[in-house]
Amino acid sequence: MDHSALEAALKSHAGAVDVWLDTFLPPAIGAAEPLMAAMRYSALGGGKRVRAFLVKAVGDLFDVPAAQSLAVGAAIELLHAYSLIHDDLPAMDDALTRRGKPACHKAFDEAVAILAGDALQALAIEILARPELGVDAATSRALTLGLVRAAGPGGMCGGQMIDLRAAELDLDLAGIRQLQDLKTGALIRFACAAGCILGQATDDERQALLAYGDKLGLAFQISDDL
């Protein structure tokens, strides 16, 4: 697949994922409306959905039903959206914009942004535990465990903590690699793992695809840093 074909495939798949995200994030009315509005603002209509694309691409290798791959990919994108909201907060990166529009805490306020991030993370986990996903209990547990590990102290949160301390730590190459592996690589690696879990991949198949996810995550973060 050449570059133009990959771009076309990413665009097509991103549209399909956005349909699922719109379903998972129905507009709300009443007192909680600002929360759902902020969740939709941050999760819909932006990004290439690379993580969701990886779930589908790996799932296709094992004939996973498209609906399962899309739902799991959408859950990962919800978790990714949560991380971006919190990364942009004044206490973190203090970013004013995200994907060409005001960051969530600027479009709403800091309290709403924090709650929106919390709620997106919770919803992502809920989706993997829903009976409607159509997987057995062991698969649901494996997906849920993999997602929370990718998000927690051994994943994105741990990487963000190192990033916040990067100046004082004076990181060497190994330290920078650890930062990138946790902050960005963990969720990309899990996207590959999720397709393997859904497809009941063998250990050898899984290890090969996780190694690919490791290298892709590293390249992704280096490109972003540059």
Side-chain angles (χ1 to χ4, degrees):
M1 182 181 290
D2 62 20
H3 180 73
S4 60
L6 177 60
E7 287 289 334
L10 282 167
K11 184 176 181 180
S12 175
H13 184 260
V17 173
D18 279 348
V19 171
W20 281 79
L21 290 173
D22 188 55
T23 299
F24 290 141
L25 295 166
I29 58 174
E33 189 277 332
L35 174 61
M36 185 58 73
M39 293 167 69
R40 290 177 60 85
Y41 178 86
S42 298
L44 292 172
K48 292 187 176 182
R49 311 301 187 197
V50 171
R51 293 154 188 83
F53 182 82
L54 288 171
V55 178
K56 180 67 163 55
V58 172
D60 285 350
L61 296 175
F62 305 104
D63 298 321
V64 174
Q68 290 181 356
S69 294
L70 285 167
V72 172
I76 294 174
E77 292 295 336
L78 290 174
L79 191 92
H80 180 54
Y82 129 73
S83 73
L84 299 181
I85 292 175
H86 283 198
D87 280 359
D88 290 342
L89 289 168
M92 297 285 189
D93 293 345
D94 196 15
L96 300 179
T97 62
R98 170 67 64 178
R99 293 172 174 167
K101 62 183 183 180
C104 185
H105 68 276
K106 300 303 292 185
F108 297 87
D109 61 41
E110 289 183 38
V112 173
I114 292 170
L115 288 173
D118 292 344
L120 285 168
Q121 180 177 209
L123 179 58
I125 297 167
E126 177 193 333
I127 289 167
L128 301 186
R130 287 180 178 178
E132 297 93 323
L133 185 59
V135 300
D136 59 36
T139 300
S140 178
R141 285 195 301 272
L143 289 169
T144 304
L145 181 61
L147 183 65
V148 296
R149 282 180 171 168
M156 291 192 308
C157 288
Q160 180 69 358
M161 185 72 257
I162 297 172
D163 196 17
L164 291 172
R165 300 186 61 209
E168 66 177 276
L169 293 173
D170 190 24
L171 298 174
D172 59 11
L173 181 59
I176 293 170
R177 176 63 189 268
Q178 181 190 28
L179 163 62
Q180 294 171 335
D181 184 57
L182 296 179
K183 184 173 181 179
T184 301
L187 198 57
I188 289 177
R189 185 167 57 251
F190 173 67
C192 294
C196 292
I197 293 168
L198 288 169
Q200 306 295 315
T202 66
D203 287 343
D204 287 345
E205 290 167 338
R206 180 167 178 158
Q207 289 305 313
L209 287 160
L210 289 181
Y212 168 78
D214 282 334
K215 301 298 188 295
L216 184 61
L218 179 60
F220 198 91
Q221 186 61 52
I222 290 172
S223 175
D224 187 59
D225 289 344
L226 290 173

